[in-house]
Amino acid sequence: MKHLSIFSIFWLFGKLFSLKGNPDKMKVMILGIDGYIGWPLALRELMKGNEVVGVDNFFTRKRVKEVNSESVTPIPSFQQRLKKLKEKTGKSITFYRGDVADPKFFLEVMRREKPDAIVHLAEQRSAPYSMRGLRQATDTMVKNIVSTLNLIYAVKDTVPNAHILKLGTMGEYGTPNIDIPEGFFDIEYNGRKDFLPFPKQAGSWYHWTKVHDSNNLMFANRLWKLRITDVMQGVVYGTRTKEIDQTGLFSRFDIDEVWGTALNRFCAQATVGLPITPYGKGGQTRGFLSLEDSITCLDLALSNPPKEGEYRVFNQFDEHYSVRELASMVQQVYAEAYKKTPEIRSVPNPRLEAEEHYYNPAHEKLAKLGYRRSKELRDEVKIIFRDLRTYRRRIEKLKEVINPRTIWKDSPTK
Ligand code: USQ
């Protein structure tokens, strides 16, 4: 009996101070740990003292090669990354190589690791890639949706109380002619009222996969009361985070027409004297945030998990800009710093999207949790230029794959 009560005290103590009870010490599993966001997020969580488990199948590396491109920042193999991490910080990551869309593999990893939180970044993330043809559309659709379903079932079976932090996209909402709320809105129709998910109008097969994921996550939440944060993230830019500064362990940085995103591409174009390319009229407006701020937001979501049974949506971006505004900001910053004015040359829009539109999405929930942007966009752009000038030669080698060639309407059946 005495034994039992001592045991009970230990048990209670353990419960109170267990990893779960103390949000500063968690076991975080990062799916897609080798990616642009996965790697710096792993560094942040490790440096905070959390335990990190990573999963990746290196599909992004393979698919970037498929379009004759590579990361502008030289990134070593994942094994090398882990070795360097250990040398520089003394810390390690438990790593599993495999596909989250493979249910057996993934369930086994979850059974072994039983994480407190799982960040799902292991989806095909390029809209242009998904529009290259039926093969890529199918690949994106199947792998993305199945991976999230596998995650849902594995969490339900192994750690039903864990936090699923899922990366969705602001592109799920599209560009409606009304304000965009954070996930849900009050609606009155034919005299009756409800609080419903905001209608989605995605603009590529990739963006639609994220809509389908969100629907599946909402349903999983109703079925099994899972804790879920669905992050509608804007376009991320930048080369640096605090931990990249400390360790010198860069994340990847893509600039080609398939894998590169607007601001990163514009900075690379200016660096090697290519025209900056806003597509079409350039009034396409999106939410943007820096890599540092993206990691801060994800970390804030991890440290402030949803309540039991809660499905919540965060719109994650700092400010919204039109691509025309971004192009001229990049032009100005470059001209001030290097006394040479890059050309801005609008190119025919390869995508099907509104080129002038209303855009006013809410983004208050992360601010309520304490989020503040780390730097002005102009200052971040200066840092990107500094890094890209170091790797100028690598950008020069990619000149052939920078201009847009993936035409949405021509997506072939092959
Ligand atoms: N754009 C240009 N010129 C370029 C490249 C892009 O004008 O050289 C325009 C596009 O037409 C689009 C906007 O910039 O209107 C954003 O395009 P992007 O390639 O930067 O971003 P996108 O394809 O929307 O996808 C990226 C990420 C994706 C993430 C998404 C967030 O690849 O994983 O989900 O940003 S969001 O855009 O908010 O949906």
Side-chain angles (χ1 to χ4, degrees), residues 107 111 152-160:
L107 187 60
R111 277 204 181 115
I152 289 167
Y153 271 81
V155 167
K156 177 219 22 129
D157 284 354
T158 60
V159 277

Side-chain angles (χ1 to χ4, degrees), residues 216-226 228 309-311:
N216 292 345
L217 288 165
M218 274 189 281
F219 185 59
N221 166 265
R222 262 201 275 152
L223 268 176
W224 296 308
K225 305 271 171 271
L226 305 182
I228 300 169
E310 184 186 5
Y311 168 85

